[in-house]
Amino acid sequence: MSGTPERVAIITGGSGGIGRVCAQRLAADGFAVVIHYAGHRDRAEQTVREIRESGGHALAGHGDVADEHDMAALFTLAQTEFGGIDVLVHTAGIMPLSPIAQLDLGVLDEVLRTNVRGTFVVDQLAARHLREGGAIINFSTSVTRLQIPGYAAYTASKGAVEAVTLILARELRGRDITVNTIAPGPTATPLFFEGKSREQIDGIAAANPMARLGTPEDTAEAVSFLAGPARWVNGQVLYVNGGAA
């Protein structure tokens, strides 16, 4: 790698289906990308290699998104290697499903720790360290509006993410840093397919006005927009779901 890139992005959950494609898209847009991973080092490092082979700047960093020390080290890595941070794309999260009556409260604690505390941790660091003209892009889900049984713990955590986003956008008044949340609909990723029959998957796709599932590329398009030209979009929840309710 040569030269210093003008803009730098951290992508949490960058080894996952949506996070990986978002990292690739921002690298294609000219960003240096720091690809965070928790448990899939091989996939993160493969993405780094692919970006570098295409002439981009990338590196991988490990850590627990809910651990402030791990994430502080990740932000320090980005600043040390690339000179600063402009964009945070916070895709990391977990989605165990269970009806409320059968929900293991230990699982609920884990969901809230990763999805809610994790958002507070990385958003706090971003608020402290992003340069002027930056963007914080959190992730929620369109399921908050679809009321699908079994998703209560997950959607409760993502409702909290939306609240954090709306307030942080106003707390950063005068900093020229936008804060938004993307709420994808059903998206063709390994996480979505897990535990679903072909009949269920086909039914979900057919119910969408676009008659298909979303793709990680659909979501990455919205991330690219919010990370780049969308300077007048702030404090919003953007539903990227093909028209699902």
Side-chain angles (χ1 to χ4, degrees), residues 35-81:
I35 299 170
H36 157 266
Y37 66 95
H40 296 285
R41 177 177 179 176
D42 55 339
R43 296 200 309 224
E45 291 184 344
Q46 179 184 352
T47 305
V48 167
R49 286 194 299 271
E50 291 171 355
I51 289 171
R52 290 178 174 176
E53 287 168 1
S54 297
H57 297 76
L59 56 84
H62 174 265
D64 174 358
V65 292
D67 185 304
E68 63 271 33
H69 304 294
D70 282 3
M71 291 302 98
L74 184 74
F75 276 69
T76 298
L77 176 67
Q79 290 177 311
T80 300
E81 294 297 321

Side-chain angles (χ1 to χ4, degrees), residues 137-195:
I137 305 167
N138 291 321
F139 266 69
S140 179
T141 172
S142 290
V143 180
T144 56
R145 292 168 38 164
L146 298 176
Q147 298 89 44
I148 301 174
Y151 282 79
Y154 180 64
T155 56
S157 73
K158 292 303 186 178
V161 170
E162 293 181 13
V164 170
T165 295
L166 302 182
I167 291 172
L168 183 57
R170 286 145 183 86
E171 290 181 347
L172 295 183
R173 180 185 183 90
R175 293 273 305 278
D176 190 25
I177 295 173
T178 62
V179 190
N180 294 286
T181 286
I182 289 177
T187 304
T189 65
L191 184 63
F192 170 78
F193 290 129
E194 186 176 333

